[in-house]
Amino acid sequence: MPTAADRLVRTLSQHGLRQTPVRRSVLQVLADAAFALSGSEIEQQLPAGTDRITLYRTLKSFEESGLIHRVIDSTDVVRYAACSIECSAKAHFDNHVHFKCTICQHIYCLNQVAIPAVTLPAQFQVVSRDYLLAGVCRECQPAV
Amino acid sequence: MPTAADRLVRTLSQHGLRQTPVRRSVLQVLADAAFALSGSEIEQQLPAGTDRITLYRTLKSFEESGLIHRVIDSTDVVRYAACSIECSAKAHFDNHVHFKCTICQHIYCLNQVAIPAVTLPAQFQVVSRDYLLAGVCRECQPAV
DNA sequence: TTGCACGTGCAACAGTGTAGCTTGTTGGGC
DNA sequence: GCCCAACAAGCTACACTGTTGCACGTGCAA
């Protein structure tokens, strides 16, 4: 039976990435997260002493390899979330809606909710789409 | 017949904002822009010597008054665009799709394209929605 | 005209992310 | 198991975006 560590090793090698302690830690943090994390949030969850610059470079190479995707936010902070299993460097399949809770500030990837299509004026050619909802999440609803 | 300057004065007073040179300039720049601008882009178009901090404070108060709205981007930069005429501090009506051209980097407000609704899992309560498309705009299409 | 709340301008600073360089490590080939 | 080239890590320094606190100036209503 493969352990969690085995899965990390396999995921990295499947995407053509080297096995290093930092990469394993970053991947672990993102895989364990229930919602999208910002650079500094990821940093806080890494082993003490992990280099900030290395983290950003790791995130960049993960993104280019299709391991994680950016989640846009209504603020100026970029967040990251682990991609679904079928993503690769060639094709990102993050065609799902994101939901930001205005109370707990968490951003959820609603993998089960696809982004609806829109009809654009002629000659606008669409490559990718982001749909961000804001509101109150399940956990933060006032008790009935 | 009201001049452009008259319109600026009226727009400011209608939103309960004072008439100052900086505010008129910022409003002018945003009203003239065909697409969303970042803080530094606005700064470049202002009269030389305009204070950067004052600009950010001006943008903040414009946003709170419903004169402009934030446009999310897939990068970490916040951009601003003039709101449609019927917006106010009480109700923003920026319920339209944004389109970012990956070639010229311009972000268009497609006012005529409404954001389609989605069905969310129970107990997620939606307050606002952002829909950002990326691709190639009208101007950047390869000649046929 | 006057008062004062609000806007401006300045210095300082915080957070996020990048560039360039040197050192350390991984992993393929022998 | 060893070697080595390519890649990753770790450092300093820096750029950009945006904020805070404070003193001063100004729009505007009375």
Side-chain angles (χ1 to χ4, degrees):
Chain A
M1 171 185 164
T3 64
D6 289 338
R7 268 195 296 276
L8 291 182
V9 169
R10 211 174 46 223
T11 305
L12 284 173
S13 62
Q14 273 175 358
H15 288 81
L17 294 165
R18 284 197 185 172
Q19 308 292 331
T20 72
V22 173
R23 294 188 168 192
R24 275 195 286 266
S25 307
V26 173
L27 192 54
Q28 181 78 67
V29 167
L30 284 170
D32 291 350
F35 25 78
L37 301 174
S38 69
S40 59
E41 285 165 350
I42 297 170
E43 198 186 353
Q44 282 166 24
Q45 295 192 38
L46 290 175
T50 306
D51 188 54
R52 198 169 54 89
I53 292 91
T54 303
L55 166 61
Y56 282 114
R57 282 197 272 235
T58 301
L59 290 173
K60 198 171 184 176
S61 60
F62 278 10
E63 200 188 347
E64 285 165 0
S65 309
L67 254 173
I68 61 176
H69 61 265
R70 279 171 181 245
V71 179
I72 53 171
D73 193 349
S74 45
T75 70
D76 56 343
V77 179
V78 176
R79 287 165 188 280
Y80 298 91
C83 277
S84 57
I85 200 104
E86 63 272 22
C87 282
S88 74
K90 288 182 200 135
H92 268 290
F93 294 101
D94 54 339
N95 184 28
H96 58 266
V97 164
H98 292 121
F99 185 96
K100 175 174 183 173
C101 178
T102 52
I103 295 176
C104 65
Q105 305 296 322
H106 289 161
I107 297 188
Y108 298 84
C109 290
L110 300 182
N111 288 300
Q112 70 277 34
V113 184
I115 299 180
V118 291
T119 307
L120 288 190
Q123 297 184 314
F124 278 90
Q125 194 184 323
V126 175
V127 173
S128 71
R129 302 178 295 165
D130 277 298
Y131 197 136
L132 176 69
L133 292 153
V136 184
C137 77
R138 212 158 25 194
E139 314 297 324
C140 295
Q141 291 288 340
V144 184
Chain B
M1 173 184 161
T3 65
D6 288 339
R7 267 195 296 275
L8 291 181
V9 168
R10 210 174 47 225
T11 305
L12 284 171
S13 63
Q14 272 175 358
H15 288 80
L17 293 165
R18 284 196 186 173
Q19 309 290 332
T20 72
V22 174
R23 294 187 169 191
R24 274 194 288 263
S25 308
V26 174
L27 193 53
Q28 181 76 68
V29 167
L30 285 171
D32 290 348
F35 24 77
L37 300 173
S38 68
S40 58
E41 285 165 351
I42 297 170
E43 197 186 353
Q44 281 166 26
Q45 296 192 36
L46 290 175
T50 306
D51 189 55
R52 199 170 53 91
I53 292 91
T54 303
L55 166 61
Y56 281 113
R57 282 195 274 233
T58 301
L59 290 173
K60 199 170 185 178
S61 61
F62 277 10
E63 200 189 347
E64 285 166 0
S65 310
L67 255 172
I68 62 175
H69 62 266
R70 279 172 181 244
V71 179
I72 52 171
D73 192 350
S74 45
T75 69
D76 56 343
V77 178
V78 176
R79 288 166 188 279
Y80 298 90
C83 277
S84 57
I85 199 101
E86 62 273 19
C87 283
S88 72
K90 289 182 198 131
H92 268 289
F93 293 101
D94 55 339
N95 184 31
H96 58 266
V97 165
H98 292 120
F99 185 95
K100 175 174 184 173
C101 177
T102 52
I103 296 176
C104 65
Q105 305 295 321
H106 289 162
I107 298 188
Y108 298 84
C109 289
L110 300 182
N111 288 299
Q112 70 276 34
V113 184
I115 300 180
V118 292
T119 308
L120 288 189
Q123 296 185 315
F124 278 91
Q125 195 184 323
V126 175
V127 173
S128 71
R129 302 177 296 166
D130 278 297
Y131 197 136
L132 176 69
L133 293 153
V136 183
C137 77
R138 212 157 25 192
E139 313 298 325
C140 294
Q141 290 289 338
V144 183

